[in-house]
Amino acid sequence: MNRSAEGAPRRGPDVVTLRRLGALAGAVAGSGVLLVLLLDGPEAAGALVALLVAAALLVARYAVGAGTLDSGHRDEVRLLQTRVPGMGEWRRNVVTSTGPDGTAYYRAVLRPELRHLYAAVLAEHHHVSLEHQPERAAELIGPDLWPWLGPVPPGAGSRGEVPVDVLRRLVDRLEALGTPRPRDPRTGKDEAK
């Protein structure tokens, strides 16, 4: 049954599939437990079985991803799969942030939402972590807007409000960063900006 003539990928006998790899790992583990049982007794074999089960659970946890409990190994991927980021009550947030005492509201509500959106866009389109690569994120966002999103919250205008033009530029830059980059037809990778 050679399907290479029909256009399907050819799978020869030397292809390692996940099923074959699992069978091989099971055979090695089983023979190891049997060897330990014969040489050292049932207590040592039981300890080895417990160790093998723990290792299998760790590998399975890593393969599945363990949701948001992943300890930073795959931040960029998990960031986008937890929930779809959105601004929710955008108009109310803008009105409150641009009014008197808007800085406190910006720091408590609007800034974390904007940081979340920027983190998602930077991770998805530029493969940059806002938290772990702040220098590169600042470079992409721009020096004039980075203070509004960086690790230290900014000051406010003369009456405690956040300037409307700053919010407009933050949204415009977010949209610009989220625009898909053209792909290089030779390599199939995103072209550098």
Side-chain angles (χ1 to χ4, degrees), residues 97 102-112 152-156 162:
S97 294
T103 303
Y105 187 81
Y106 175 79
R107 287 181 182 186
V109 177
L110 195 55
R111 185 173 180 272
V152 178
V162 176

Side-chain angles (χ1 to χ4, degrees), residues 23-186:
L24 177 65
V28 168
S31 62
V33 169
L34 183 61
L35 185 63
V36 169
L37 178 66
L38 292 174
L39 295 177
D40 293 328
E43 294 86 14
L48 180 60
V49 167
L51 181 67
L52 289 172
V53 167
L57 288 175
L58 284 174
V59 168
R61 178 189 181 275
Y62 183 80
V64 171
T68 59
L69 297 178
D70 200 346
S71 60
H73 297 292
R74 288 172 278 182
D75 284 352
E76 297 166 359
V77 174
R78 293 292 164 228
L79 176 69
L80 299 175
Q81 291 181 356
T82 56
R83 69 176 178 94
V84 177
M87 288 302 294
E89 301 173 12
W90 175 251
R91 290 185 182 177
R92 183 177 64 86
N93 290 341
V94 170
V95 168
T96 307
S97 294
T98 56
D101 300 325
T103 303
Y105 187 81
Y106 175 79
R107 287 181 182 186
V109 177
L110 195 55
R111 185 173 180 272
E113 287 294 322
L114 281 170
R115 281 182 59 86
H116 183 75
L117 288 169
Y118 267 91
V121 166
L122 289 172
E124 182 177 6
H125 294 286
H126 302 278
H127 309 291
V128 173
S129 170
L130 185 68
E131 297 297 325
H132 301 298
Q133 298 169 308
E135 299 86 16
R136 179 72 179 123
E139 183 181 307
L140 288 168
I141 293 170
D144 57 327
L145 296 176
W146 177 248
W148 293 94
L149 297 168
V152 178
S158 59
R159 295 178 293 149
E161 78 281 358
V162 176
V164 176
D165 67 310
V166 169
L167 292 177
R168 185 174 292 119
R169 287 184 300 150
L170 282 167
V171 172
D172 289 344
R173 185 65 185 144
L174 180 65
E175 288 177 353
L177 288 171
T179 304
R181 296 184 289 179
R183 294 194 172 264
D184 186 345
R186 296 170 295 180

